[in-house]
Amino acid sequence: NLADCLEKAGRTASAWAEFREAASLATKRGDRRAKFARDRAEALQPKLIKLAIVVPPASRLLGLEVRRNGVAVPAELFDTPVPVDPGKYAIDAAAAGRKAWSSTVDATAAGGELKIEVPRLEPVPPPSEPAKIAPVAKDPVAQVPPAGGEPRHEPAVDSGARRRRHLIKIGRASC
C-alpha cells in the first residue's frame, strides 16, 4: 500500500524500492502477492530517473565527503546510477584543507540518466598575514619639551590622579 501511495504521489524511485522490498518479503514468506509486487516494480522501471555522482580518481581526496541534499553519499555509490525521485538535488563536496564545491541537478525527465562530475577540490590558500597595527600616536602635549629643555615623562595611561579633587579648608585664626 505504501508503494502504491508513493507512486501516486509521483515519487517513482521510492515506490519502486518499496515494491521491490515488498516482493522480497513476500517471496521469503511464500506469499502469493510477491508476483504482484514484482510486476509493479518492473512497470516502474522505465519511468525511473537515475543519478550518477561521478568522482574521478584524481578527485578522490583523503577525507572527501560528497552529499546529495545534505545526506552523505557512500564512496561505494560513486559513479553508480542510483534511482532518485523527480526533483532538484543539491550536490556538495568537501574535504579538509580544500575549498568546498556545490552544484544542483534537475532530475525531472522520466526514464533519464543524469551524471554530475565532482571536480578536484582546490586547496584553501594559506591565511594572509594579519594586518600590522600602527603605533598609537603619543600625546602631542607630552612630546613638547618644557621650558627647561627636557621632555616630560608622563604615564601613558592617566591613573585618575590628576582628576582627584582636594578639599581645602579655609578658616580664620582666632586669638
Side-chain angles (χ1 to χ4, degrees), residues 77-102:
L77 292 181
F78 292 169
D79 309 332
T80 304
V82 176
V84 293
D85 289 326
K88 291 189 179 192
Y89 291 89
I91 311 299
D92 304 300
R98 302 291 178 142
K99 289 182 182 178
W101 171 87
S102 67

Side-chain angles (χ1 to χ4, degrees), residues 18-38:
E18 287 295 329
F19 278 127
R20 288 180 43 112
E21 185 177 346
S24 176
L25 288 171
T27 300
K28 288 178 185 175
R29 295 181 180 161
D31 192 324
R32 57 183 160 80
R33 294 178 288 182
K35 182 181 178 341
F36 174 78
R38 265 193 308 278

Side-chain angles (χ1 to χ4, degrees), residues 53-75:
I53 300 173
V54 178
V55 184
S59 298
R60 295 186 187 204
L61 303 168
L62 183 64
L64 176 69
E65 187 173 90
V66 177
R67 294 182 170 273
R68 183 182 71 215
N69 282 358
V71 177
V73 176

